[in-house]
Amino acid sequence: MSIVVTGVTGHLGRLVVESLLSRGVPADDIVALGRDTTKLADLAERGVTVRHGDYNDPASLRTAFAGAEKLVYVSGNELGRRVAQSRNVIDAAKEAGVGLIAYTSAPKADRSGLILAKEHYAIEQEIAASGLPYVFLRNSWYLENYTDQVPTYLQYGVAGAAEDGRVSAATRADFAEAAAVVVTTDGHANQVYELGGAPFTLTELAEELSRQTGQAVTYTDLSEEKYAEVLVGAGVPADFAAVLADSDRGLARGELEVEGDDLARLIGRPPVTLAEALRTAL
């Protein structure tokens, strides 16, 4: 069984490959794609097949997907270009005769008002229309979106535009494990999984960080516009700051809170919690 994983030079794609290996998939049955294959040299040394693949280069994808039976399609990060890129991926997958595409999407993509979700849903529709069997892995936020900011939180506190909305964040590793499961076990074709961990508010994030550090950390709720200004002031490009602020407003509306236990069922255990992730980060 040949499993191709895209975006392996990024965090999630790399973790999918690691999870496949840990599940006993032979290294030479895994194809790891990236635009800069020099970053994948260590995987090549472990026996993983490494190939160049660029969503903007259809020829590279046709070569990279040759012989693939299953494909883990990790969504790109170029806003505004991802739908066009998906057509290149789908065309190459059809030409290769791929038997299953597992696509990393966004929670509630078919009904969410998030700017990010609209692109993901358009890609889901492109994949479904292709006639290829698929699995849509609708991942909520990464816990790392928060744990990576712990030093900032300890210095300035937590800020956002989320009100008391709850986010079902989980670790990249747990999302990656779910992707590995659906391409190594049966019964997932044409399924849609809403994936996330135990939900929490940003106030609860601040409270848990306070509890673990003994330092008072508070959450400051801002308007969407003000939060975007704060992000720009911190060096985030204006266009991306607007997307992040929009996402926080979606969090306030409940669009990042996932119902059900799809992630726990797929990985066979409870996902890592906020408290556990903070403990690891500190």
Side-chain angles (χ1 to χ4, degrees):
M1 178 173 62
S2 176
I3 301 172
V4 174
V5 183
T6 71
V8 181
T9 51
H11 294 295
L12 184 61
R14 163 71 68 147
L15 288 168
V16 172
V17 171
E18 294 292 351
S19 187
L20 289 170
L21 291 168
S22 71
R23 291 180 62 80
V25 177
D28 58 3
D29 283 350
I30 302 170
V31 180
L33 266 61
R35 285 183 292 187
D36 182 358
T37 56
T38 62
K39 296 180 180 179
L40 306 177
D42 63 307
L43 291 177
E45 291 173 358
R46 294 161 64 185
V48 174
T49 300
V50 170
R51 294 177 182 165
H52 171 71
D54 185 334
Y55 296 150
N56 297 308
D57 181 357
S60 77
L61 297 175
R62 288 194 295 271
T63 299
F65 292 174
E69 295 178 41
K70 296 184 179 180
L71 169 65
V72 179
Y73 174 15
V74 177
S75 59
N77 58 11
E78 296 181 71
L79 298 178
R81 296 179 58 90
R82 294 192 288 191
V83 176
Q85 291 172 338
S86 74
R87 295 180 185 127
N88 295 335
V89 173
I90 293 165
D91 288 347
K94 289 180 70 173
E95 184 174 318
V98 169
L100 183 74
I101 297 180
Y103 174 67
T104 62
S105 187
K108 305 177 184 178
D110 56 339
R111 57 194 185 279
S112 174
L114 293 181
I115 292 172
L116 288 174
K118 293 176 182 177
E119 275 193 324
H120 283 295
Y121 184 52
I123 293 170
E124 287 186 0
Q125 291 179 302
E126 294 274 352
I127 293 171
S130 74
L132 292 171
Y134 61 82
V135 185
F136 296 147
L137 302 167
R138 291 179 172 173
N139 297 342
S140 187
W141 250 213
Y142 301 141
L143 274 170
E144 289 86 350
N145 291 353
Y146 302 108
T147 57
D148 287 352
Q149 296 187 71
V150 164
T152 300
Y153 294 156
L154 292 176
Q155 186 171 2
Y156 300 107
V158 180
E163 299 179 1
D164 59 355
R166 304 200 304 171
V167 55
S168 299
T171 62
R172 287 191 183 96
D174 282 350
F175 288 131
E177 188 171 345
V181 167
V182 301
V183 294
T184 55
T185 59
D186 296 329
H188 304 289
N190 300 336
Q191 297 298 306
V192 178
Y193 296 118
E194 299 281 354
L195 303 180
F200 57 88
T201 68
L202 297 193
T203 296
E204 290 169 338
L205 164 65
E207 290 172 347
E208 180 61 28
L209 188 54
S210 298
R211 188 185 69 79
Q212 292 199 25
T213 63
Q215 177 180 330
V217 180
T218 59
Y219 170 61
T220 302
D221 196 65
L222 306 169
S223 68
E224 181 179 342
E225 295 74 20
K226 183 61 178 177
Y227 184 43
E229 290 177 14
V230 169
L231 292 170
V232 170
V236 178
D239 288 350
F240 190 48
V243 170
L244 292 177
D246 172 78
S247 297
D248 246 35
R249 185 51 50 191
L251 198 166
R253 295 190 299 263
E255 293 178 338
L256 292 174
E257 182 175 1
V258 172
E259 298 175 358
D261 62 350
D262 284 354
L263 181 56
R265 288 191 300 105
L266 285 175
I267 66 177
R269 58 171 172 78
V272 172
T273 65
L274 170 66
E276 291 167 338
L278 285 174
R279 195 172 300 120
T280 299
L282 289 169

